[in-house]
Amino acid sequence: MLAIAKTATLAGIDAIPVAVEVDSTASGFPYYIVVGLPDATVRESRERIVSAIKNSGLKLPSSRITVNLAPADLRKEGGAFDLPIAMGILRATGVADLPLLGDYLLLGELALDGALRQVRGALAATVLARNSGFHGIVLPQINASEASLVRDFPILSAACLSDVISLLTHGNTESRPMAPPPIDDSTPSQDFQEVKGQETAKRALEIAAAGGHNVLMVGPPGSGKTMLARCLPSIMPDMCLEEIIECTKIYSAAGLMDGRGAVRIRPFRAPHHSVSEAGLIGGGSHPKPGEISLAHNGVLFMDEFTEFPRTVLESLRQPIEDGVVTISRATQAVTFPCRFMLVAALNPCPCGFFGDSNRQCVCTPLQRQKYFNRISGPILDRIDIQLEVPAVHIQELRSDRMGEPSSRMAERIRQARDREAARLPKVRINARMDGRMIKKHCPLDEKMTALLDTASRQMGISARAYHRILRVARTIADLEGQERVDQNHLAEAIQLRSIDRYL
């Protein structure tokens, strides 16, 4: 007898439909085989499925069972195929009738006692099930909250194999459709009011957060670069539903959900400088998201920027520009989204104290030059804001005066982003403006043109840097509620892009 169950597999962060075809024949020598390009995890499903069925109080007849995972030329990996294969075997062998087998998309890994365990990619599979016209999706209880981000679609969770059999036989189960997960109202732990001094750096980070601009901070050890970066999530605007779904799909594909309903706080990723290129960009024999994709819609903080391998830094060029990264392998190519705000921090020299009024630098000019040469011109070109973060005086640290709270900065940023979204409905933030948009929304008068020409000659800026200065100037105008960019906005944008004394 032939039975067909429907499931899905991941390709990047999106789900692709897979038909699980099970054929059972009573004649001949009993055996079990899975075909259709399964990986080792799928091939090992036989032991899990047989034990789960037996421990659920059912008995399989002795028969020849062939399982085909179609399409046959697509690599299948992971334990999520356990449940649809088990349902197909029960139907094909006549152990259970399962008249509703074709109505639902099935997803779940089986424990030996028949319990259902968490799987990757539940949200992507739910989106596929809704778009494909299924009556609903059946998955483990721990994945149900994540999947319920897909509104107005039946999400049916099950605790064990017996629950799924009841659902596919009678159309009911003790499990109920899940309500959307509650809003996570937790707040980031660090607030800008805890940062002593560094008013220029706070202003620069406010501008960066308002327009989604990349930032490079240069300063001696202990000047507060890391703390400033870790305060950034506290002023970032809330994500919309579309952004929440995008981030949740990425974390689900990477297996990092850990039972939480959704990724609602903008991601903040801080990889160590020993990270590999595959760890940062994404990769593996079966490509998975890297740190830049896990930072999608959030912040990628790279401390000790010059300590990262040169090849790792250079691999950031295309993702920063395009907002996506494509990982190509012999059998497939997958694309991951990666629109992140890069925040990099480094010391001004190898010893760390060049320009520090409290400590004397022991580095030679050649050593400083070689240190900064680890960052290529193309990478610096892609960083909109480059600022110096000087050491904080002891008197400021002892002061009881609190700085401006993040909540007040966040409100200004929210208003600025609302202006940007109204003006740029397709890209939504100033950092993503193309040349045509810049020309339209950042017109220059004679004085501004002369100022930019002078800065261009003195700083030797490229065409890319020229456009990035104008984007920052547009963001400064939005923070001040101005319709047009004026000379003061442009001057501040130019000032925020100068680390010439280190180069």
Side-chain angles (χ1 to χ4, degrees), residues 260-495:
R260 54 179 167 170
V263 179
R264 293 182 176 272
I265 301 296
R266 290 190 181 272
F268 182 91
R269 304 292 298 185
H272 190 262
H273 57 74
S274 62
V275 67
S276 66
E277 187 174 346
L280 185 69
I281 303 300
S285 55
H286 306 299
K288 292 183 180 179
E291 290 290 339
I292 62 173
S293 294
L294 295 173
H296 182 61
N297 291 325
V299 176
L300 177 69
F301 177 49
M302 300 181 72
D303 202 4
E304 305 297 342
F305 198 49
T306 51
E307 300 302 323
F308 285 82
R310 181 69 175 258
T311 56
V312 171
L313 293 182
E314 295 306 309
S315 67
L316 289 171
R317 290 191 193 183
Q318 179 260 337
I320 290 176
E321 286 292 309
D322 298 342
V324 295
V325 59
T326 300
I327 311 296
S328 297
R329 295 292 179 265
T331 57
Q332 64 176 331
V334 298
T335 299
F336 297 109
C338 57
R339 289 205 176 276
F340 56 89
M341 198 176 105
L342 173 65
V343 178
L346 68 153
N347 296 327
C349 64
C351 78
F353 298 105
F354 177 64
D356 190 345
S357 58
N358 300 319
R359 298 281 298 273
Q360 184 175 0
C361 174
V362 297
C363 303
T364 65
L366 180 60
Q367 286 176 321
R368 290 197 295 269
Q369 185 67 47
K370 290 177 64 177
Y371 180 74
F372 261 87
N373 282 347
R374 297 178 189 176
I375 309 173
S376 68
I379 291 296
L380 281 175
D381 254 3
R382 287 164 168 81
I383 300 178
D384 308 37
I385 297 174
Q386 304 164 2
L387 69 142
E388 181 181 359
V389 182
V392 180
H393 294 293
I394 297 298
Q395 291 81 358
E396 286 185 285
L397 292 176
R398 282 200 289 258
S399 173
D400 293 330
R401 184 173 61 86
M402 301 297 288
E404 184 178 24
S406 290
S407 57
R408 197 177 304 162
M409 298 170 66
E411 178 58 24
R412 291 196 298 269
I413 291 168
R414 184 193 63 77
Q415 293 175 6
R417 287 222 175 183
D418 287 345
R419 297 185 188 99
E420 295 170 39
R423 186 175 58 250
L424 306 165
K426 291 185 178 180
V427 298
R428 300 190 66 83
I429 58 175
N430 291 331
R432 299 176 192 167
M433 287 194 295
D434 58 25
R436 180 180 53 82
M437 296 175 183
I438 291 172
K439 186 175 182 180
K440 178 180 178 181
H441 300 296
C442 307
L444 303 178
D445 59 25
E446 291 184 4
K447 291 184 178 179
M448 295 166 65
T449 301
L451 175 62
L452 200 50
D453 287 346
T454 301
S456 182
R457 286 193 301 272
Q458 292 179 352
M459 299 166 60
I461 63 176
S462 66
R464 180 183 287 112
Y466 174 90
H467 284 137
R468 289 185 179 273
I469 288 173
L470 291 176
R471 290 181 184 128
V472 174
R474 178 66 265 179
T475 300
I476 295 170
D478 286 327
L479 276 170
E480 296 181 2
Q482 301 295 319
E483 289 297 324
R484 292 181 61 88
V485 177
D486 64 27
Q487 190 172 355
N488 292 331
H489 304 145
L490 185 61
E492 185 175 3
I494 293 171
Q495 188 179 10

Side-chain angles (χ1 to χ4, degrees), residues 5 9 54 80 98 124-125 169 194 211 213 225 262 300 341 374 418 431 442 445 458 499:
T9 188
K54 180 187 70 173
L98 307 179
T169 302
E194 301 169 8
H213 303 289
K225 302 184 297 295
L300 177 69
M341 198 176 105
R374 297 178 189 176
D418 287 345
C442 307
D445 59 25
Q458 292 179 352
I499 53 170

Side-chain angles (χ1 to χ4, degrees), residues 5-134:
K6 298 297 179 66
T7 185
T9 188
L10 280 174
I13 64 169
D14 296 316
I16 296 176
V18 174
V20 179
E21 303 169 345
V22 182
D23 181 68
S24 175
T25 305
S27 61
F29 188 79
Y31 77 101
Y32 177 106
I33 186 171
V34 180
V35 297
L37 214 57
D39 73 346
T41 306
V42 181
R43 289 195 298 270
E44 292 171 354
S45 64
R46 175 183 182 276
E47 283 69 25
R48 293 192 298 272
I49 291 170
V50 171
S51 296
I53 291 174
K54 180 187 70 173
N55 291 321
S56 297
L58 302 172
K59 184 177 181 181
L60 286 175
S62 179
S63 58
R64 299 165 58 89
I65 296 174
T66 302
V67 179
N68 178 46
L69 306 177
D73 61 345
L74 180 67
R75 186 77 177 177
K76 322 299 187 309
E77 63 169 340
F81 292 95
D82 289 3
L83 181 60
I85 292 176
M87 293 298 105
I89 290 175
L90 292 175
R91 174 73 180 275
T93 56
V95 175
D97 188 29
L98 307 179
L100 303 178
L101 180 61
D103 295 340
Y104 294 89
L105 191 143
L106 309 177
L107 212 65
E109 179 182 332
L110 287 171
L112 297 185
D113 61 355
L116 290 179
R117 289 178 170 161
Q118 183 178 10
V119 295
R120 297 189 298 116
L123 179 55
T126 307
V127 172
L128 173 68
R130 181 195 61 187
N131 296 341
S132 301
F134 285 94

Side-chain angles (χ1 to χ4, degrees), residues 195-200 202 228 392 396 401:
V195 180
K196 304 292 186 180
Q198 304 296 10
E199 298 305 321
T200 300
K202 291 179 187 177
L228 284 164
V392 180
E396 286 185 285
R401 184 173 61 86

Side-chain angles (χ1 to χ4, degrees), residues 229-274:
R230 292 191 178 278
C231 288
L232 258 176
S234 67
I235 62 173
M236 299 285 281
D238 295 336
M239 290 195 290
C240 64
L241 180 60
E242 180 182 354
E243 291 175 321
I244 290 172
I245 291 175
E246 284 179 346
C247 290
T248 304
K249 285 174 69 176
I250 294 169
Y251 276 71
S252 179
L256 299 176
M257 288 304 295
D258 298 326
R260 54 179 167 170
V263 179
R264 293 182 176 272
I265 301 296
R266 290 190 181 272
F268 182 91
R269 304 292 298 185
H272 190 262
H273 57 74
S274 62

